[in-house]
Amino acid sequence: MDILGKIQLHREEERRLAWEGTFGEYLEILKERPYVAQSAHSRVYNMIKDAGIEEVNGTKKYNFFNNQIFGLEDSIERLVEEYFHPAAKRLDVRKRILLLMGPVSGGKSTIVTMLKRGLEDYSKTESGAVYAIKGCPMHEDPLHLIPHHLRDDFYREFGIRIEGSLSPLNTMRLEKEYGNCIEDVMVERIFFSEDKRTGIGTFSPSDPKSQDIADLTGSIDFSTIAEFGSESDPRAYRFDGELNKANRGMMEFQEMLKCDEKFLWHLLSLTQEGNFKAGRFALISADELIVAHTNESEYRSFIANKKNEALHSRIIVMGVPYNLRVSEEERIYEKMIKESDMSHVHIAPHALRVAAIFSVLTRLMDSKKQGMDLIKKMRLYDGEIVEGYNHIDLEELQKEFADEGMSGIDPRYVINRISSAIIRKEVPSINALDVLRSMKDGLDHHASITKEDKERFMNFISLARKEYDEIAKKEVQKAFVYSYEESAKTLMDNYLDNVEAYCNKNKLRDPLTGEEMSPDEKLMRSIEEQIGISENAKKAFREEILIRISAYARKGKKFDYNSHERLREAIQKKLFADLKDVVKITTSSKTPDEAQLKKVNEVIARLVDEHGYNTTSANELLRYVGSLLNR
């Protein structure tokens, strides 16, 4: 379908969802669907819950944040379960401002934007439907029409609690337009929209000398005073401040802690009592989620000021640190690149991983745990198995520093340096070394990096380079070994014959001479040592292999080269060790002979077809690994 057809469908859908009726008819909707009368906090929680919740390794994963927020599962779970969930149940938490605190480019703004966009979509669903008094600039809850003395009776009949009072404007409209007949007041379905300022507001502080409190609470319309006779007539007032327009939904308070005090006073009453003062009117009720975000240094300055104690007690702070998992950091870069104009550039495999390793290392704190270095810690955090450590060690590490992840290199810096690498190289392909080189060069121009930090970061670049060296060698190793696939199978069959004889205490028969001989201990150890199997552990490893072969045989399956991951790795490493000289010659020879050229082309073809390289990055990888092996 073309774009105009989709626009027409969207218009038809909006017409289908629209509803308008009297307050009496709205009460019939409430009888069938009482959840329509939910609070702003409840609506946000249900929006997140309705998108689906999964539990992975004891941590809740909320599908609402999928594909946008990476590596912050613990922070998101805390946000939902310690703020939104109790607030939805009308507990005292809902009377607090939600303050997201964390380093730059850590995901705070993304979380807020997702909540705003999510509410826009959710208000178009049956579960998230929102109804308001028609013609009200604040999209007021129709249930405010129920007089206070009848609200207990209403709760007994409908099971719905009503909070808040009818606004001055609608009190006057009820009297003058509807003759106090509540049941005749017109109600309409509304749809949240930040662009149309319906249920979603955004306040950003500017120069305190020029910014007016009217930006928050609305202002007098002086052109109508002559018509209505008084500034205290609600018809002479514009209810168009951000607090007015965000009613029923949420308001983002950008850089809240930089605001002039007079702007924050209104939040004291709004959060605790659910109302705020505007013009010469009684308190105006508002039901909205207020979300602010800031960095750690600003927050520390804020709480150090005794004048802010009243507001501080009405804030719930949720930490949003940097992601500390390499695999998730890669996904952040992939997302940012996909959203940019760089998506056409070929980024060689592992280039983003190496950048992620560097970034995560800058965010980690040195553990006091014996034998634990940053590389091991990084791997444990990323879910890798590290010999000598288990999940209990991981939990201890995660609890060791409360503020881990609150500092370090941010994702925007990495993407900026990748952009710089692309522009500098002027080719449609970059590799891991290009990225690391660009990261290193950028440290000189990073304004907030101290001399001590720079020295640490240079060390992390070296560590990331070492990690890449191992990755690169393994990549070429796999490609070469596959080119010698028959050799790998033969080596494995030979190893298995010897393991079977060793475990069953049998002899082997020489296929040429026919004489009996003992299992070849030297061959078995030369393979096992490739993956760090010690002399003491060799018997258990060999028995494990034999058990796996028996299990396959019982199921009628053939045990082959791919049936045991660690054995496959050991065979590959052993074969690669034996082939090192061949690799050196074929990768470093300026004028390879025909056989060498054929082998190199086979390896490049495999790197391109099965490992995600293009011919340029595959050739660069081979040359680099050749230089590593020749050192």
Side-chain angles (χ1 to χ4, degrees), residues 304-368:
N305 187 342
K306 293 291 182 186
K307 290 197 292 184
N308 296 327
E309 282 182 356
L311 185 61
H312 181 227
S313 67
R314 289 171 171 82
I315 290 175
I316 279 193
V317 181
M318 290 287 168
V320 184
Y322 284 133
N323 157 62
L324 298 176
R325 284 156 51 194
V326 171
S327 54
E328 295 296 305
E329 190 73 9
E330 267 192 278
R331 294 181 69 194
I332 294 172
Y333 303 153
E334 285 166 2
K335 179 194 121 183
M336 292 172 86
I337 287 167
K338 195 175 178 182
E339 291 170 352
S340 74
D341 292 334
M342 296 191 294
S343 54
H344 67 286
V345 176
H346 172 76
I347 298 176
H350 313 297
L352 297 184
R353 182 168 187 80
V354 171
I357 288 171
F358 166 67
S359 299
V360 170
L361 285 173
T362 67
R363 301 167 188 170
L364 295 176
M365 294 184 173
D366 290 301
S367 173
K368 297 180 180 73

Side-chain angles (χ1 to χ4, degrees), residues 12 20 23 53 61 86 112 117 128 149 173 305 317 337 371 403 455 464 503 522 563 616 620:
E12 288 170 2
E20 189 179 301
F23 181 69
I53 305 172
K61 189 176 179 184
V112 175
R117 295 296 86 79
H149 67 278
R173 289 179 64 208
N305 187 342
V317 181
I337 287 167
D403 58 344
E455 287 176 11
C503 291
K522 189 177 177 184
S563 300
T616 303
E620 288 172 344

Side-chain angles (χ1 to χ4, degrees), residues 377-438:
K377 187 177 185 179
M378 176 190 78
R379 287 179 177 156
L380 279 170
Y381 274 18
D382 206 32
E384 291 183 40
I385 295 167
V386 176
E387 196 172 344
Y389 299 96
N390 55 34
H391 70 279
I392 295 169
D393 296 299
L394 174 60
E395 287 172 9
E396 287 175 1
L397 287 171
Q398 289 170 331
K399 291 174 184 172
E400 194 174 7
F401 302 104
D403 58 344
E404 189 168 49
M406 284 293 183
S407 62
I409 289 292
D410 64 281
R412 286 190 197 126
Y413 172 80
V414 175
I415 292 300
N416 291 345
R417 298 317 303 165
I418 290 173
S419 306
S420 176
I422 290 167
I423 291 162
R424 186 186 300 129
K425 205 174 176 192
E426 292 184 343
V427 291
S429 171
I430 61 166
N431 59 39
L433 295 175
D434 297 323
V435 171
L436 282 179
R437 200 176 296 117
S438 185

Side-chain angles (χ1 to χ4, degrees), residues 108-144:
K108 305 183 298 295
S109 299
T110 304
I111 290 171
V112 175
T113 300
M114 288 189 76
L115 292 174
K116 291 195 289 189
R117 295 296 86 79
L119 278 173
E120 289 178 343
D121 293 336
Y122 194 59
S123 67
K124 294 171 185 171
T125 66
E126 185 178 313
S127 305
V130 189
Y131 295 83
I133 295 173
K134 188 179 180 188
C136 172
M138 283 185 61
H139 331 293
E140 188 165 8
D141 186 347
L143 292 183
H144 286 180

Side-chain angles (χ1 to χ4, degrees), residues 424-620:
R424 186 186 300 129
K425 205 174 176 192
E426 292 184 343
V427 291
S429 171
I430 61 166
N431 59 39
L433 295 175
D434 297 323
V435 171
L436 282 179
R437 200 176 296 117
S438 185
M439 296 273 203
K440 182 181 175 183
D441 295 344
L443 294 178
D444 291 325
H445 311 294
H446 200 299
S448 62
I449 292 178
T450 64
K451 187 179 178 182
E452 291 76 17
D453 280 341
K454 186 184 173 186
E455 287 176 11
R456 279 178 59 245
F457 292 173
M458 291 293 278
N459 181 46
F460 294 146
I461 285 175
S462 298
L463 288 175
R465 169 80 175 264
K466 285 176 186 172
E467 290 293 296
Y468 176 65
D469 289 352
E470 291 306 309
I471 291 168
K473 282 191 275 192
K474 280 182 184 175
E475 200 84 308
V476 173
Q477 170 187 312
K478 284 181 193 172
F480 262 92
V481 169
Y482 275 114
S483 296
Y484 288 88
E485 204 156 353
E486 284 305 313
S487 304
K489 285 178 181 173
T490 303
L491 183 59
M492 191 192 76
D493 289 340
N494 197 356
Y495 173 77
L496 293 178
D497 288 341
N498 280 277
V499 164
E500 195 172 348
Y502 169 85
C503 291
N504 294 331
K505 296 183 170 57
N506 291 336
K507 298 277 187 182
L508 286 167
R509 194 171 293 279
D510 190 301
L512 294 176
T513 64
E515 64 181 294
E516 287 190 339
M517 52 187 186
S518 299
D520 189 343
E521 185 65 23
K522 189 177 177 184
L523 170 76
M524 290 187 286
R525 292 302 294 138
S526 70
I527 291 169
E528 291 156 358
E529 284 168 353
Q530 301 293 330
I531 51 170
I533 303 293
S534 66
E535 185 70 26
N536 293 333
K538 70 180 184 183
K539 187 171 184 288
F541 181 73
R542 292 169 189 177
E543 286 172 349
E544 182 200 325
I545 297 287
L546 212 58
I547 290 167
R548 182 76 65 91
I549 292 170
S550 301
Y552 269 64
R554 279 198 307 275
K555 294 174 185 173
K557 292 161 70 178
K558 188 178 185 301
F559 185 92
D560 61 20
Y561 182 65
N562 295 306
S563 300
H564 193 286
E565 195 173 329
R566 293 195 74 205
L567 177 58
R568 184 179 71 227
E569 185 188 348
I571 296 287
Q572 286 178 352
K573 284 187 171 179
K574 167 63 178 163
L575 196 59
F576 189 62
D578 295 342
L579 289 171
K580 263 188 181 178
D581 290 337
V582 178
V583 177
K584 284 180 188 178
I585 293 165
T586 52
T587 55
S588 61
S589 176
K590 289 182 181 176
T591 53
D593 60 34
E594 195 175 325
Q596 290 170 351
L597 196 60
K598 184 184 176 191
K599 190 61 64 183
V600 167
N601 288 337
E602 280 178 16
V603 171
I604 287 173
R606 188 167 290 280
L607 287 169
V608 171
D609 295 342
E610 297 181 20
H611 295 265
Y613 291 82
N614 66 6
T615 51
T616 303
S617 58
N619 273 296
E620 288 172 344

